[in-house]
Every structure is written in C-alpha cells, then in structure tokens.
Amino acid sequence: MPLHPVYGHEELRARLATSMRAGRLPTALLLAGAPGVGKQRLGLWVAAGLLCEQGPGEPCGACHSCHLASTLSHPDIHWFFPILRPKGEEDKQAEEAEELLAQAVQARREQPLYAPPDGMAGIFLPLVRVLHRSAQMRPAMGKRKVFLVGEAERLVPQASSPEAANALLKVLEEPPPDTWFILTAAEPASLLPTIRSRLVQLRVHRLRASEVARFLSEVPQPPLPPAEAKRRADLAGGSIGAALAEGGEHGSADAAGRTLLEAAARGPIARLRYALGVRWYGGRGEFTETLAAAADLLRDRLAERLRNPGAGRADEPPATGVLEAIREIERARKLARGNVNPQLIVADLTRRLAERLE
Ligand SMILES: [Zn+2]
C-alpha cells in the first residue's frame, strides 16, 4: 500500500524544497516536533525529493524513483526506527537487527498507518552498526542515499557502553559523500549534545485541526465519518497520531470487549470475520483497551461465580478455564504493544478463548 500524502507543513515543505533545489540542504537534519505530527512521513518526503529523477526538489510523485519511495521500496532510502533488542549471540546481533528492521519496514509497507513502536523498543548498538555499514556503501540506484532515523531520542546509550551513540556520532561526523541523515525526535533535548550539535534542527509544527480532520476523513480505510473525524481532530492537539489513537468515549471499550468475547464464542467463521473487522486505525491504544475490557468482564464473571457458587448455569466454563482465558488476553495485550498485526492477534486470541471458555 503506498504511503499517504503528507498533510500540512506547507511552509516547511516549501523551505525544504527550495534548499533541495539550490543544493543547500544540510546533510544532517533534525526534524523536531510533537509526537504524531508526521515527522517521519515528512522525512520520507524529503528523501523522495532528494532522489526524485526530476529533482532534487519537491518529489514529482510520477517518476520511478518517487514510485519506489512511496512504496517504501527505494534501495537508497534507509528507514531506521526503534525495534526490540536483538537477543541472539553478540556477533549475530547486527544481522538479527537488520532482519527485525526489515520485518518492521515490511509491516509499515503493508500498513502505513503504523502505531508507535513497543515501549521496550530502542535504537540499540546492533542497529546502529547496520546503519553505519549501509552508510559506507555506494548508492544502489542513483547518486544519493538518505538515512531516516525516527525517534532518535530512543537511541540507547548505556552509561557503561556508549557505543551506540558513538557509532552514530562517528557517521555524522564523517558523513560519506552524497549521503543525507534525517533524524526525528519529539524531545530533541534528550538527544546527546554531541549528536545534536551535528544536526541542523527544524521545527515541525502541530497541524491545524482542519488538517487532522481532513486526514481522518481521507486516509484510514474505511475513513472516519466527518463528524467523528472532527470530534477526534478537535481533541488531538494538532497530532494525527493522537487523533488515530483517540478511541471512542469511555464505556465503548466495555462494549468492544463484550463483542470480542461474543465473537470468540460464535464459532470459527464468526471469529475470522470479527478479526478481519478489527479497526486498526483506532490505534493500539484503543485495541489494548478493548482487550483490557474483555479481561475485566471475565474477572467480573469469575468474581460473581465465587460469590454465588450455586447460581451459575450448568453450561458455564469451569473457573480454571476463565482464569486461563484471562491469561490469554493478558498475553495478547503484551503482543498488541509490539509490532504484531492486531488482526492476527485477534484471530489467534479468539480461537484460544473459545477453547478455554468451552
Ligand atoms: Zn519523482
């Protein structure tokens, strides 16, 4: 699925396009701005503009290079962002990081409205090593290559081993020719000063509520109805990410949790249909709330059973089954905070719940 267009930021884009055309775009940029305002999308736009066959300048959107950029398949656009820490043997960790990143990019290719990375994810040393190595290679297609490093404040310098930061610093200090680095950060102050001093910082402002509403009514599939789009946009503080994560009112999580449990009980076809209908555009926040609500409903049911042991119906699942079902939901919640597709999580979870709650 191609990336959605960039929404808003016209003034900044005009400035960036002018610099690109004039060949004056600094080779190490920091796009700083609130979470969810589209910093990485903007970084990909700059990368496309630098590599455009009609450019450099504003990406034409029509050439082969722009097409590859818009499908996240351009070999000279290297997108790095936080991933989970590789766990294998030390000399294999860079390979593992490269593989984890490739999988995460593939997930974003399939679903460009991605949720923020897992809280445990970071830009660990093995990933920086991959970046360092790719930076030394010549461009695969054209004359330039671009490295986009999203959420750069999640670069992990441990006090005892600051190698990750040093490796990044080294590549920024001695940038290979015709190579651009674009870092994004919501909290630039938490970047190491040595790294920050290498970067030209540009501020990415919050979007207008009307722009967020337009995004919500045009990009997600299915799009949000105009009234809902406006309601969410008004609450989102100029952040598309916040608007996507903004769930329904409280209480709707309860209803959603109940629907999930009902779907689990209704057989394989109903489960599959339910899983396919999971609204990923609600964001991980809404999804994990639904799971939490489903677990709470089961807990309530269990508590009620313990209070009135005789009152239960004969066809109710045993208490141990309910407990195991709660555990399954907690497991799914953990997965939901990572990069796993919510539809896959739900398909698996509802099947397991059906078994436990027979
Ligand atoms: Zn182009």
Side-chain angles (χ1 to χ4, degrees), residues 48 52-54 59-63 65-66:
C52 173
E53 288 160 24
Q54 313 290 324
C60 76
C63 72
S65 177
C66 282

Side-chain angles (χ1 to χ4, degrees), residues 165-344:
N166 284 342
L168 181 62
L169 187 60
K170 201 157 167 237
V171 75
L172 291 175
E173 274 172 343
E174 299 158 22
D178 295 322
T179 304
W180 274 261
F181 295 93
I182 304 169
L183 280 67
T184 77
E187 293 167 47
S190 56
L191 279 175
L192 292 174
T194 43
I195 289 180
R196 244 170 91 197
S197 67
R198 299 281 157 189
L199 304 165
V200 175
Q201 182 171 326
L202 296 174
R203 169 102 346 233
V204 184
H205 292 290
R206 291 173 182 275
L207 296 159
R208 286 186 284 275
S210 59
E211 289 165 339
V212 177
R214 196 159 58 80
F215 181 100
L216 295 177
S217 60
E218 290 175 357
V219 175
Q221 289 303 326
L224 268 68
E228 174 69 2
K230 185 175 181 316
R231 186 188 73 80
R232 288 205 196 185
D234 287 345
L235 295 171
S239 161
I240 287 173
L244 287 170
E246 155 72 19
E249 298 80 28
H250 209 69
S252 74
D254 269 4
R258 196 161 291 130
T259 309
L260 185 146
L261 293 176
E262 284 165 7
R266 277 206 319 266
I269 307 231
R271 292 203 295 268
L272 187 62
R273 193 170 297 147
Y274 174 78
L276 291 175
V278 167
R279 297 194 313 159
W280 48 264
Y281 64 70
R284 305 263 156 167
E286 183 174 316
F287 179 50
T288 52
E289 259 177 48
T290 300
L291 294 177
D296 283 347
L297 286 167
L298 290 180
R299 280 191 197 97
D300 289 350
R301 226 196 257 180
L302 201 57
E304 181 61 30
R305 286 265 289 287
L306 295 175
R307 272 196 299 273
N308 293 309
R313 300 197 322 261
D315 60 351
E316 279 198 359
T320 48
V322 179
L323 268 176
E324 279 167 20
I326 294 170
R327 222 167 281 146
E328 295 287 2
I329 296 175
E330 293 304 334
R331 209 180 123 261
R333 272 181 78 194
K334 266 189 210 124
L335 284 176
R337 289 195 284 267
N339 267 329
V340 185
N341 178 326
Q343 293 175 345
L344 288 181

